[in-house]
């Protein structure tokens, strides 16, 4: 009876997420909002009050850091049974569980099994990254005529916030519930001078799961001195399920006519190059692995998103699809760029759920500002001044076809 019930639940989940459409057409011109692309996920239980009754948010202990700080794990479940888990250490997403076209549920984001495993070190699986996602050359930049030196943790460069970035702190947390979403507000106060950054930064990120099968990430920050900020989430996706194999046959579309060429240390030269006639072109859906051999080291590049001048709202940035499982993930963002990274440095040393994460077992779509922006006045600015509010959002929308 129990097995029958599980099977029925799984099948219903598949039906609820099913839609005949894959990644949207006219993608490269799109300036589509998640609402416009909405797939009708409603069934006979679509009334908001009924859906509300089916959402849940729970909190459990996930262990303690060596310093004795309690780490909590939240589980968000929406009315259609999609489940997202996020822990307070690094405001880290540890699971995004979605059904395939047959209703089989998998965690489609790379994660580890215990807090101890996360504490041993990992390449930002699901982490909230700050203060500055991506690289700052030589860990140096100038602001208002003063030079600042940041912690260097990637050869001579600063990467993802430094030695102890936002991925390695325990965030304060508070659950929130609305009529059609459940979420957690994470806050962190970063002291003036932390990792070399000027100003006390108050950072906030709210992760929420809606009944439209969207995972929303809403970032904000304020400072008491001029500083720089560039926040993102570093989830690794494998639409077949974590540890299921490589992602080379999964297809990707990116709303980007241009990308930033990089040097051997992955620092942008400053050139903004057209993707036309290169293996960097994802304007039409392409299997991630179809041309990866032509890209030295694999994809690890910042794509400049096609946005209209002054466009500030959410626009469709990326769409990924796994032809095998039928899972589709759209990514919308207010950010100007996206770092597409194909897990090139995953080397089989990390394991979870009895599976080993090898090279290309996950891909990242990190929505963000351009790398090394503080040293490129021609790039959109990442400066934040007292009295201003940094605000960015990214939405991941899930379905199957
Ligand atoms: C970077 C990669 C890096 C990875 C893990 C990505 O954002 O672009 O070069 O290896 O993060 O740190």
């Amino acid at each position: 009876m129990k097995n029958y019930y599980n099977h029925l639940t799984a099948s219903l989940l598949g039906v609820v997420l099913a839609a005949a459409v894959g990644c949207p057409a006219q993608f490269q011109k799109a300036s589509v909002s998640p609402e416009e692309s909405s797939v009708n996920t409603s069934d006979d239980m679509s009334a908001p009050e009924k859906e509300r009754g089916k959402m849940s948010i729970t909190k459990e202990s996930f262990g303690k850091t060596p310093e004795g700080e309690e780490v909590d794990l939240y589980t968000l479940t929406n009315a259609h049974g999609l489940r997202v888990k996020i822990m307070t250490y690094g405001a880290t997403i540890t699971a995004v569980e979605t059904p395939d076209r047959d209703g089989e549920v998998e965690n489609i984001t790379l994660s580890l099994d215990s807090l101890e495993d996360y504490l041993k070190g990992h390449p930002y699986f699901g982490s909230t990254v700050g203060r500055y996602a991506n690289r700052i050359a030589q860990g140096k930049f100038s602001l208002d005529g003063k030079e600042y030196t940041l912690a260097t943790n990637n050869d001579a460069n600063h990467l993802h916030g430094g030695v102890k970035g936002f991925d390695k702190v325990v965030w304060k947390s508070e659950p929130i519930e609305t009529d059609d979403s459940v979420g957690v507000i994470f806050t962190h106060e970063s002291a003036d001078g932390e990792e070399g950054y000027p100003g006390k930064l108050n950072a906030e990120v709210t992760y929420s799961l809606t009944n439209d099968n969207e995972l929303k990430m809403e970032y904000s920050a304020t400072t008491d001195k001029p500083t720089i900020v560039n926040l993102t989430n570093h989830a690794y996706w494998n639409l077949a399920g974590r540890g299921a194999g490589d992602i080379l046959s999964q297809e990707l579309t990116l709303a980007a006519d241009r990308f930033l060429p990089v040097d051997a240390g992955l620092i942008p030269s400053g050139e903004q190059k057209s993707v036309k006639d290169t293996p960097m072109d994802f304007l039409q859906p392409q299997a991630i692995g179809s041309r990866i051999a032509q890209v030295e080291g694999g994809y690890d590049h910042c794509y400049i998103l096609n946005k209209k001048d002054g466009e500030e709202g959410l626009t469709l940035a990326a769409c990924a699809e796994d032809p095998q499982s039928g899972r589709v993930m759209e990514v919308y963002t207010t950010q100007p760029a996206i770092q597409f990274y194909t897990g090139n440095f995953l080397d089989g040393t990390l394991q979870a759920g009895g599976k080993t994460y090898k090279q290309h077992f996950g891909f990242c779509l990190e929505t963000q500002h351009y790398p090394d922006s503080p040293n490129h006045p021609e790039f959109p600015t990442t400066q934040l001044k007292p009295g201003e509010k940094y605000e960015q959002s990214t939405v991941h929308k899930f379905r199957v076809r």
Side-chain angles (χ1 to χ4, degrees), residues 123-124 135 159-160 234 236 266 300 339 341 345 366:
Y124 305 90
R135 291 172 175 81
L159 176 68
H160 295 331
H234 204 297
Y236 288 65
L266 297 170
D300 194 355
Q339 181 82 9
Y341 169 59
F345 299 114
E366 305 154 52

Side-chain angles (χ1 to χ4, degrees), residues 131-339:
R131 291 187 189 189
Y132 197 99
N134 219 314
R135 291 172 175 81
I136 295 179
Q138 307 294 314
K140 289 197 188 303
F141 69 98
S142 295
L143 192 57
D144 299 333
K146 192 167 170 215
E147 185 172 272
Y148 292 93
T149 302
L150 301 172
T152 49
N153 58 331
N154 188 245
D155 297 328
N157 303 319
H158 177 88
L159 176 68
H160 295 331
V163 176
K164 187 170 179 183
F166 288 1
D167 58 298
K168 294 184 190 69
V169 301
V170 178
W171 293 61
K172 292 204 169 79
S173 64
E174 201 184 307
I176 42 154
E177 225 173 298
T178 71
D179 277 349
D180 71 346
S181 72
V182 276
V184 183
I185 304 173
F186 292 96
T187 50
H188 172 59
E189 185 178 295
S190 169
D192 187 5
E194 205 172 274
E195 300 296 306
Y197 290 103
K200 181 180 84 178
L201 191 82
N202 283 97
E204 183 173 305
V205 55
T206 300
Y207 288 104
S208 51
L209 178 65
T210 74
N211 284 336
D212 279 335
N213 302 320
E214 299 160 336
L215 171 58
K216 286 192 177 169
M217 307 169 175
E218 292 162 294
Y219 306 86
S220 67
T222 54
T223 182
D224 65 357
K225 286 184 190 158
T227 192
I228 55 170
V229 61
N230 184 25
L231 306 178
T232 194
N233 179 277
H234 204 297
Y236 288 65
W237 303 99
N238 186 332
L239 299 182
R242 67 167 192 171
D246 68 50
I247 44 74
L248 300 177
S249 63
Q250 297 181 17
E251 292 171 8
L252 179 70
T253 323
L254 289 173
D257 291 339
R258 290 168 301 153
F259 73 104
L260 300 179
V262 286
D263 68 13
L266 297 170
I267 300 292
S269 62
E271 186 192 355
Q272 305 186 11
K273 198 171 170 190
S274 167
V275 297
K276 201 166 181 294
D277 301 324
T278 78
M280 306 302 289
D281 186 350
F282 284 91
L283 285 165
Q284 305 294 330
Q286 296 285 343
I288 291 173
S290 62
R291 300 152 302 161
I292 197 169
Q294 298 166 48
V295 182
E296 211 188 323
Y299 295 98
D300 194 355
H301 293 84
C302 176
Y303 281 78
I304 300 172
L305 293 171
N306 296 343
K307 302 239 176 192
K308 296 190 192 98
D309 277 350
E311 192 160 42
E312 285 189 342
L314 288 167
T315 60
L316 184 57
C319 186
E321 181 170 344
D322 176 29
Q324 206 81 35
S325 67
R327 289 192 185 88
V328 177
M329 178 179 76
E330 293 172 5
V331 181
Y332 299 82
T333 191
T334 58
Q335 298 263 22
I338 199 162
Q339 181 82 9

Side-chain angles (χ1 to χ4, degrees), residues 112-123:
L112 300 173
D113 290 337
S114 65
L115 180 62
E116 289 66 41
D117 286 352
Y118 280 98
L119 292 169
K120 281 184 211 151
H122 64 99

Side-chain angles (χ1 to χ4, degrees), residues 335-390:
Q335 298 263 22
I338 199 162
Q339 181 82 9
F340 171 46
Y341 169 59
T342 42
N344 312 325
F345 299 114
L346 294 176
D347 59 4
T349 50
L350 293 173
Q351 293 171 341
K355 309 245 175 77
T356 302
Y357 297 138
K358 300 190 192 139
Q359 193 182 41
H360 307 317
F361 267 42
F363 63 89
C364 301
L365 293 169
E366 305 154 52
T367 55
Q368 56 188 249
H369 265 255
Y370 306 2
D372 202 26
S373 294
N375 294 309
H376 287 275
E378 72 279 20
F379 290 172
T381 184
T382 52
Q383 289 178 21
L384 183 71
K385 301 205 163 64
E388 294 175 348
K389 191 168 187 189
Y390 166 93

Side-chain angles (χ1 to χ4, degrees), residues 47-123:
E49 325 75 73
K50 281 197 194 164
E51 298 217 323
R52 205 183 142 80
K54 295 195 189 120
M55 301 185 305
S56 68
I57 173 161
T58 60
K59 177 172 142 180
E60 63 196 287
S61 171
F62 199 54
K64 270 189 192 172
T65 66
E67 294 76 34
E69 293 166 292
E70 292 284 349
V71 175
D72 291 321
L73 178 71
Y74 286 90
T75 301
L76 315 176
T77 309
N78 80 358
H80 307 297
L82 255 68
R83 220 150 59 155
V84 171
K85 295 186 184 190
I86 313 173
M87 67 164 157
T88 52
Y89 179 73
T92 300
I93 296 173
T94 66
V96 176
E97 297 173 4
T98 73
D100 67 7
R101 65 163 74 82
D102 299 321
E104 290 298 325
V105 175
E106 292 288 349
N107 176 6
I108 59 166
T109 185
L110 272 50
S111 58
L112 300 173
D113 290 337
S114 65
L115 180 62
E116 289 66 41
D117 286 352
Y118 280 98
L119 292 169
K120 281 184 211 151
H122 64 99

